[in-house]
Amino acid sequence: MIRLFLLISAVAIAAEPRITWKFDGGSLGRVERVAADHWRAHLAGESDQDGRNRQANWYSFQVDGAAVGKPLTIDLVSLPGEYNYKPNRGAVTADTPPVISFDNKTWAHVETFAYDAGEPRMRLTITPTAARFWIAHVPPYTNVHLKALREWAGGRLTEEVVGKTADGRPIPLWTIGTGEKVAWLFFRQHSWEAGSSWVGEGLVRHLLSPEGAGLRAAVTWKIFPMCDPDGVYRGGVRFNKFGYDLNRNWDVNGVAKMPEITAQRGAVRKWLEGGRKIDVLFSLHNTETSEYLEGTPENGGGGRHRELAERLFGLLEKETSFAPTRPLFYSETSTTAGMAGRMTVSQGLYRDFGLATFIMEQRISVQPKYGRKPLVADRLRFGRELAEVFAKALGR
Ligand SMILES: [Zn+2]
């Protein structure tokens, strides 16, 4: 009798659905149980080194012990934040519902949600088709994915470690190809922007494929495949361990608490001081609803930067799935005039070295060329397209 009772309790505990996020790239703040089938899940969010610019747009968690076919309600809350010092209602809206996976590999968007702008709150109603499933802001790309790509690539690329992160993780720089033209590409400066990494993977796979032979012969590709390994591991948003935004602060030198930027800028400087050139430098990002290409001041390089920008933008529009929400534009010299620590990688490296530098943003919401919200296959395909377009823009 006692044994039977214990057995029943064990089954009852095991059957209780639970939410966890202690894994590579996992993130939530805390979870409140409203009812047996209803949670309020607070996004962790992160702020900068001064406690400002809170952003709460990365969450990635696992649900276990769900009853198949029995609906569960999960409210995502604690969404508001700040961007460039302006308050906002958060980046989780009806335009950006989460993705769900039942195998931690194949992702689809959650279609059964209700967004309440008042609180604000994103209410998900999930009817599980398996006891275990995963939910995230966009399909996750972690250091585990990068390791698998690195192993697949084997000796077909060369890797150097340009420095260590705040938590001591190596920062890899990959070289592919031997061409006369030189492109430096930055992926995943911001840890929530997993789409950037999927594009990077698509690009690397294409360059290393048999069809990539011409691209390898025409261009030397210098690739930072993972600019913020700590943030990606931690499930962060855009800051390093100490709150330094990986795509601001490029105008600041000598800050010990931002080793990632110091290492990446050091690698660029070393390359240039070795008497080598950089024809284009490009960093890929994600936003919620906008998509664009941003160049450095249009008179840069005596007008050559403008020519390259126009060629690149035209090719992207015509030959890729790039669907810009605004025309090509040229950036100011800082994101926040008169304040230190506010230059992006492209602004900072233009200032320091006069390079032709670009930032591209791709949206995670419905994309008109796809007619739906982008998923992993779209990002991988764009990576292939991007490699082809760079080679053409550089006059392959
Ligand atoms: Zn970004």
Side-chain angles (χ1 to χ4, degrees), residues 81 143 156 199 204 238 252 268 290 294 348-349 359 383 385 387 393:
N143 293 302
R156 291 176 292 167
V199 171
V204 166
R238 60 187 301 119
V252 177
V268 170
S290 49
E294 172 185 349
L349 293 178
I359 292 207
E385 296 169 349

Side-chain angles (χ1 to χ4, degrees), residues 190 192-193 238 247 285-286 361:
H190 289 145
W192 83 265
E193 298 164 9
R238 60 187 301 119
N247 195 34
H285 292 256
N286 291 123
E361 297 279 0

Side-chain angles (χ1 to χ4, degrees), residues 123-258:
R123 170 162 291 176
L124 312 174
T125 308
I126 310 287
T127 306
T129 57
R132 172 181 287 179
F133 59 91
W134 291 264
I135 287 184
H137 189 47
V138 294
Y141 189 106
T142 67
N143 293 302
V144 178
H145 293 93
L146 188 76
K147 186 164 176 276
L149 176 64
R150 178 69 191 87
E151 280 164 11
W152 172 82
R156 291 176 292 167
L157 59 76
T158 55
E159 174 174 297
E160 53 188 297
V161 172
V162 301
K164 293 268 176 73
T165 64
D167 273 334
R169 291 189 172 82
I171 301 168
L173 172 63
W174 293 353
T175 304
I176 298 173
T178 53
E180 189 267 324
K181 300 290 180 184
V182 181
W184 279 64
L185 311 179
F186 287 60
F187 295 98
R188 206 68 178 279
Q189 284 186 295
H190 289 145
S191 48
W192 83 265
E193 298 164 9
S196 170
S197 287
W198 287 113
V199 171
E201 167 139 355
L203 176 130
V204 166
R205 285 187 179 270
H206 185 58
L207 290 178
L208 294 179
S209 72
E211 305 84 70
L215 302 173
R216 298 193 299 272
V219 180
T220 298
W221 305 85
K222 305 290 286 187
I223 300 167
F224 283 116
M226 185 66 86
C227 291
D228 185 18
D230 285 0
V232 169
Y233 178 78
R234 192 176 68 236
V237 295
R238 60 187 301 119
F239 308 115
N240 82 348
K241 182 184 185 174
F242 300 112
Y244 287 88
D245 187 321
L246 275 283
N247 195 34
R248 301 290 184 270
N249 297 297
W250 280 79
D251 51 327
V252 177
N253 279 288
V255 176
K257 288 183 172 178
M258 36 179 262

Side-chain angles (χ1 to χ4, degrees), residues 36 45 51 83 87 97 113 166 181 216 224 246 272 302 322 332 342 346 367 378:
Y83 184 72
F113 65 87
K181 300 290 180 184
R216 298 193 299 272
F224 283 116
L246 275 283
L272 294 169
F322 177 56
E332 304 296 321
R342 301 300 298 165
S346 68
Q367 208 268 24
D378 304 308

Side-chain angles (χ1 to χ4, degrees), residues 51-369:
R52 295 297 303 273
N53 294 306
R54 175 182 195 260
Q55 187 165 305
N57 66 341
W58 181 250
Y59 53 90
S60 174
F61 57 87
Q62 178 177 332
V63 178
D64 283 286
V68 172
K70 193 165 171 277
L72 294 170
T73 303
I74 303 172
D75 294 334
L76 302 177
V77 294
S78 298
L79 308 178
E82 276 188 325
Y83 184 72
N84 288 341
Y85 299 95
K86 294 188 187 77
N88 63 46
R89 306 292 288 161
V92 175
T93 69
D95 289 326
T96 60
V99 288
I100 185 167
S101 175
F102 289 93
D103 61 2
N104 205 12
K105 223 169 118 180
T106 319
W107 297 87
H109 286 93
V110 172
E111 304 295 347
T112 45
F113 65 87
Y115 175 67
D116 169 9
E119 186 176 347
R121 178 189 74 200
M122 170 61 97
R123 170 162 291 176
L124 312 174
T125 308
I126 310 287
T127 306
T129 57
R132 172 181 287 179
F133 59 91
W134 291 264
I135 287 184
H137 189 47
V138 294
Y141 189 106
T142 67
N143 293 302
V144 178
H145 293 93
L146 188 76
K147 186 164 176 276
L149 176 64
R150 178 69 191 87
E151 280 164 11
W152 172 82
R156 291 176 292 167
L157 59 76
T158 55
E159 174 174 297
E160 53 188 297
V161 172
V162 301
K164 293 268 176 73
T165 64
D167 273 334
R169 291 189 172 82
I171 301 168
L173 172 63
W174 293 353
T175 304
I176 298 173
T178 53
E180 189 267 324
K181 300 290 180 184
V182 181
W184 279 64
L185 311 179
F186 287 60
F187 295 98
R188 206 68 178 279
Q189 284 186 295
H190 289 145
S191 48
W192 83 265
E193 298 164 9
S196 170
S197 287
W198 287 113
V199 171
E201 167 139 355
L203 176 130
V204 166
R205 285 187 179 270
H206 185 58
L207 290 178
L208 294 179
S209 72
E211 305 84 70
L215 302 173
R216 298 193 299 272
V219 180
T220 298
W221 305 85
K222 305 290 286 187
I223 300 167
F224 283 116
M226 185 66 86
C227 291
D228 185 18
D230 285 0
V232 169
Y233 178 78
R234 192 176 68 236
V237 295
R238 60 187 301 119
F239 308 115
N240 82 348
K241 182 184 185 174
F242 300 112
Y244 287 88
D245 187 321
L246 275 283
N247 195 34
R248 301 290 184 270
N249 297 297
W250 280 79
D251 51 327
V252 177
N253 279 288
V255 176
K257 288 183 172 178
M258 36 179 262
E260 299 86 4
I261 289 173
T262 303
Q264 290 154 19
R265 182 173 42 216
V268 170
R269 177 178 290 124
K270 190 177 145 200
W271 176 264
L272 294 169
E273 285 177 357
R276 288 157 296 192
K277 61 169 182 165
I278 296 177
D279 292 298
V280 66
L281 188 145
F282 175 93
S283 179
L284 184 65
H285 292 256
N286 291 123
T287 74
E288 275 66 32
T289 55
S290 49
E291 189 152 319
Y292 57 79
L293 181 71
E294 172 185 349
T296 38
E298 52 186 318
N299 57 358
R304 278 180 297 107
H305 293 190
R306 187 197 171 109
E307 272 172 49
L308 176 61
E310 286 175 354
R311 203 155 57 238
L312 190 57
F313 188 86
L315 285 165
L316 284 164
E317 256 199 319
K318 203 167 110 231
E319 301 189 5
T320 79
S321 57
F322 177 56
T325 53
R326 58 183 292 187
L328 170 67
F329 69 102
Y330 301 92
S331 66
E332 304 296 321
T333 49
S334 171
T335 59
T336 313
M339 196 174 162
R342 301 300 298 165
M343 280 193 194
T344 63
V345 60
S346 68
Q347 291 163 343
L349 293 178
Y350 173 77
R351 185 196 71 168
D352 289 353
F353 306 115
L355 302 175
T357 57
F358 296 90
I359 292 207
M360 178 190 268
E361 297 279 0
Q362 289 190 295
R363 77 190 95 186
I364 64 166
S365 56
V366 172
Q367 208 268 24
K369 283 193 183 172

